């Protein structure tokens, strides 16, 4: 069934199929009518008849991949997330002439959710590693030249992260999923760890500042499902760091591993291999919310992961001086984007907010979710003389040179999402608060506190 589903998606994503679908929708009299037609197709899953069955099985596993939680009404929304977004856009732009680019982004957003759903079914049949690689091929097709131009994530492993980053009333699926992830090969586990370490650092920093009013104990007690995942991510990255340190020629500079690595002949979502810098940065991001939990006295939320936590702690203490020096490279700097300054309640809300803004503007963002989790150099954009966006490596991104000269696209997106979040706050601890924040002062503070805890971490007593 998984292979058949992938074949159906491949047929839909490859070639001009989507372009013909969008062209047909764009011939309707208004944008609202085109959106209504697309809504009907999404609601009926006319594109993909296997969706209902896969969604039912995934809900039984404990995850609502396609539908969001309504925190005000305390129930799962009846319509899928892509349909909810479509309705939001229709209410604001429905009277306009059809926008083919926006229609294409919505269709891609729908398929992005279908790929998320498939990412939790890779263990159903066949080889899970092969199945995840196949999703990487489909993700390349989705985000390739035949699509809308909107990038969502940079690898198939991040589909798993976004698929499971919803609020779940009963958190029964995370332990089973983590056991499944640990059966994947080393490369896939490393990519899972990179995304989860950084995103959970951002998620827990948000909780620390907003939800738990800087009460670490409350944060630990309320995130029993998250801490084992973060521990897995940190120890997986630490193993890569130690292996790279042992194999590195004496005197070689940190971060010298080429980004392409063994996969340099591949393209797109399958081409990524973590550099040493990416591994070190992700560890710092993961530790930034609660470093003491992993190098000090173990909290109850990590009781089921004590073996991995102890492995991480011992390796960190053995390499502490080198790691602290390397972490310093990622200390937030004023005027430069830092993921340590970016925090949010759920990862999928970052993706959702990015797409909503792109749809309202009618132009895709040049930033994928993974780009928001790193301060390492990225491809940026600059406006051409005619006002259209042009990709240029190491250039600048300027929506309006008079307003934002030399502003990193990631920082601009973070500020845009925070503006939306401030205009539509959630009630937390009885107060209205934004659920996506970019705050350099909080980033500086998080890094400083993390480093203090890491410096002070005692060595365990000798056996």
């Amino acid at each position: 069934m998984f292979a058949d589903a992938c074949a159906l998606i491949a047929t839909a994503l490859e070639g001009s199929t989507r372009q013909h679908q969008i062209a047909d929708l764009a011939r309707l009299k208004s944008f609202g009518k085109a959106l209504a037609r697309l809504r009907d197709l999404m609601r009926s899953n006319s594109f993909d008849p296997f969706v209902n069955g896969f969604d039912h099985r995934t809900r039984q596993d404990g995850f609502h991949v396609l539908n969001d939680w309504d925190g005000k009404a305390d129930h799962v929304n009846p319509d899928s997330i892509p349909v909810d977004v479509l309705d939001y856009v229709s209410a604001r732009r429905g009277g306009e002439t059809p926008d083919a680019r926006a229609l294409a982004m919505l269709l891609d957003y729908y398929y992005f959710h279908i790929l998320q759903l498939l990412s939790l079914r890779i263990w159903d049949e066949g080889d899970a590693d092969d199945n995840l690689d196949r999703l990487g091929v489909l993700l390349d097709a989705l985000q390739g030249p035949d699509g809308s131009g909107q990038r969502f994530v940079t690898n198939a492993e991040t589909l798993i992260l976004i698929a499971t980053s919803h609020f779940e009333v009963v958190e029964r699926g995370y332990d089973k999923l983590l056991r499944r992830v640990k059966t994947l090969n080393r490369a896939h586990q490393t990519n899972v760890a990179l995304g989860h370490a950084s995103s959970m650092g951002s998620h827990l920093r948000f909780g620390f500042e907003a939800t738990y009013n800087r009460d670490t104990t409350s944060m630990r007690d309320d995130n029993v499902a998250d801490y084992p995942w973060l521990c897995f991510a940190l120890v997986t990255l630490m193993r890569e760091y130690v292996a790279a340190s042992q194999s590195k020629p004496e005197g070689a500079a940190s971060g010298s591993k080429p980004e392409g690595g063994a996969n340099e002949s591949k393209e797109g979502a399958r081409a990524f291999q973590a550099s040493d810098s990416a591994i070190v940065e992700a560890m710092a991001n993961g530790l930034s919310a609660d470093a003491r939990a992993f190098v000090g006295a173990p909290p109850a939320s990590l009781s089921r992961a004590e073996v991995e936590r102890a492995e991480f702690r011992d390796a960190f203490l053995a390499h502490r001086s080198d790691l602290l020096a390397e972490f310093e490279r990622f200390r937030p700097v004023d005027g430069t984007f830092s993921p340590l300054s970016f925090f949010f309640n759920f990862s999928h809300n970052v993706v959702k907010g990015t797409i909503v803004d792109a749809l309202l503007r009618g132009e895709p963002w040049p930033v994928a979710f993974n780009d928001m989790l790193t301060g390492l150099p990225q491809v940026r954009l600059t406006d051409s003389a005619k006002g259209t966006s042009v990709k240029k490596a190491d250039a600048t991104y300027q929506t309006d040179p008079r307003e934002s000269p030399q502003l990193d696209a990631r920082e601009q997106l973070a500020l845009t999402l925070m503006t939306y979040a401030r205009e539509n706050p959630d009630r937390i601890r009885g107060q209205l608060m934004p659920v996506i924040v970019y705050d350099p002062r909080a980033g500086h503070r998080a890094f400083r506190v993390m480093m203090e805890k890491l410096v002070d971490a005692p060595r365990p007593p000798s056996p």
Side-chain angles (χ1 to χ4, degrees):
M1 185 66 176
F2 181 89
D4 293 339
C6 286
L8 283 173
I9 297 297
T11 300
L13 296 181
E14 294 170 356
S16 58
T17 301
R18 282 175 290 166
Q19 296 171 7
H20 290 315
Q21 291 171 332
I22 297 306
D24 289 341
L25 292 171
R27 293 189 185 98
L28 297 175
K29 291 184 178 180
S30 71
F31 195 22
K33 290 184 180 298
L35 290 171
R37 179 74 59 83
L38 182 58
R39 180 197 299 116
D40 291 341
L41 294 171
M42 288 180 177
R43 278 179 170 167
S44 63
N45 290 317
S46 297
F47 300 121
D48 313 292
F50 63 85
V51 169
N52 289 335
F54 276 15
D55 185 41
H56 176 71
R57 288 155 67 182
T58 304
R59 289 184 181 221
Q60 289 183 317
D61 286 341
F63 298 108
H64 295 78
V65 176
L66 302 181
N67 300 73
D68 213 349
W69 175 261
D70 186 332
K72 296 181 176 64
D74 283 338
H75 62 66
V76 175
N77 288 334
D79 275 323
S80 69
I81 296 170
V83 170
D84 287 342
V85 168
L86 182 153
D87 287 340
Y88 182 86
V89 174
S90 182
R92 285 152 182 80
R93 298 190 59 195
E96 300 176 15
T97 57
D99 183 339
R101 191 69 175 273
L103 290 166
M105 285 190 281
L106 271 168
L107 183 57
D108 284 358
Y109 189 49
Y110 167 84
Y111 277 117
F112 174 61
H113 280 80
I114 301 304
L115 293 185
Q116 290 178 54
L117 183 64
L118 288 174
S119 75
L120 299 188
R121 308 262 47 100
I122 61 173
W123 292 274
D124 286 358
E125 62 180 46
D127 183 272
D129 288 305
D130 290 344
N131 290 340
L132 191 55
D133 285 337
R134 185 160 190 184
L135 288 188
V137 175
L138 295 175
L139 183 62
D140 286 347
L142 174 67
Q143 301 179 149
D146 295 319
S148 65
Q150 178 62 56
R151 294 167 58 235
F152 301 99
V153 296
T154 59
N155 56 53
E157 293 85 351
T158 309
L159 294 169
I160 298 173
L161 167 61
I162 304 300
T164 56
S165 65
H166 301 252
F167 174 78
E168 299 288 354
V169 177
V170 181
E171 297 178 335
R172 68 178 187 274
Y174 292 96
D175 285 349
K176 180 179 179 181
L177 180 61
L178 182 54
R179 291 194 298 271
R180 287 176 166 178
V181 165
K182 290 178 180 178
T183 68
L184 296 174
N185 66 31
R186 176 179 172 180
H188 286 151
Q189 287 194 47
T190 300
N191 276 347
V192 170
L194 282 164
H196 276 76
S198 296
S199 64
M200 285 197 169
S202 294
H203 169 67
L204 291 175
R205 287 196 307 273
F206 172 83
F208 180 74
E209 296 284 348
T211 310
Y212 311 111
N213 197 23
R214 300 188 181 179
D215 183 336
T216 302
T217 301
S218 295
M219 179 174 71
R220 291 172 174 178
D221 291 344
D222 197 39
N223 288 273
V224 175
D226 290 340
Y227 270 77
W229 272 89
L230 180 53
C231 188
F232 156 77
L234 289 172
V235 76
T236 299
L237 296 175
M238 181 63 79
R239 290 166 184 161
E240 293 299 315
Y241 175 83
V242 171
S245 299
Q246 293 173 344
S247 62
K248 189 180 302 179
E250 187 174 350
S254 175
S256 59
K257 184 191 295 182
E259 291 291 342
N263 294 327
E264 61 186 358
S265 63
K266 296 183 179 181
E267 298 178 353
R270 295 161 293 147
F272 179 78
Q273 181 178 9
S275 67
D276 293 351
S277 295
I279 288 171
V280 171
E281 182 187 37
M283 272 198 285
N285 289 351
L287 288 167
S288 61
D290 190 6
R292 190 169 289 154
F294 299 94
V295 298
S301 54
L302 280 173
S303 60
R304 292 169 295 163
E306 177 54 25
V307 173
E308 289 183 332
R309 193 200 73 89
E311 179 186 347
F312 175 84
R313 177 203 60 201
D314 292 347
F316 172 80
L317 293 174
H319 296 270
R320 173 159 46 184
S321 59
D322 289 339
L323 278 167
L324 292 179
E326 295 194 55
F327 285 171
E328 279 292 343
R329 296 164 50 216
F330 301 103
R331 182 183 291 272
V333 176
D334 290 342
T336 301
F337 175 79
S338 170
L340 290 168
S341 302
F342 185 54
F343 44 100
F344 44 81
N345 61 348
F346 298 112
S347 297
H348 92 92
N349 280 337
V350 175
V351 179
K352 183 178 179 180
T354 302
I355 301 309
V356 167
D357 181 73
L359 290 167
L360 294 179
R361 292 184 298 107
E363 286 290 333
W365 276 92
V367 179
F369 172 74
N370 303 73
D371 299 329
M372 303 299 292
L373 304 179
T374 178
L376 294 171
Q378 301 288 308
V379 173
R380 304 181 183 181
L381 293 192
T382 184
D383 288 350
S384 71
K386 295 182 179 180
T388 56
S389 297
V390 181
K391 287 187 178 181
K392 292 187 178 180
D394 299 322
T396 57
Y397 178 44
Q398 302 172 223
T399 53
D400 185 336
R402 297 166 298 177
E403 297 178 359
S404 54
Q406 300 182 355
L407 185 62
D408 189 309
R410 295 166 296 184
E411 183 173 356
Q412 180 163 341
L413 176 56
L415 293 171
T416 298
L417 295 176
M418 182 170 66
T419 298
Y420 280 119
R422 284 175 169 171
E423 293 172 351
N424 302 276
D426 280 13
R427 189 168 294 278
I428 302 173
R429 292 187 291 107
Q431 304 175 44
L432 293 175
M433 297 184 182
V435 296
I436 300 176
V437 177
Y438 187 73
D439 184 350
R441 289 180 298 176
H444 281 283
R445 182 170 59 248
F447 185 87
R448 174 180 56 78
V449 172
M450 175 192 73
M451 293 295 279
E452 290 172 355
K453 292 178 180 178
L454 294 175
V455 168
D456 295 339
R459 290 189 176 275
S462 300

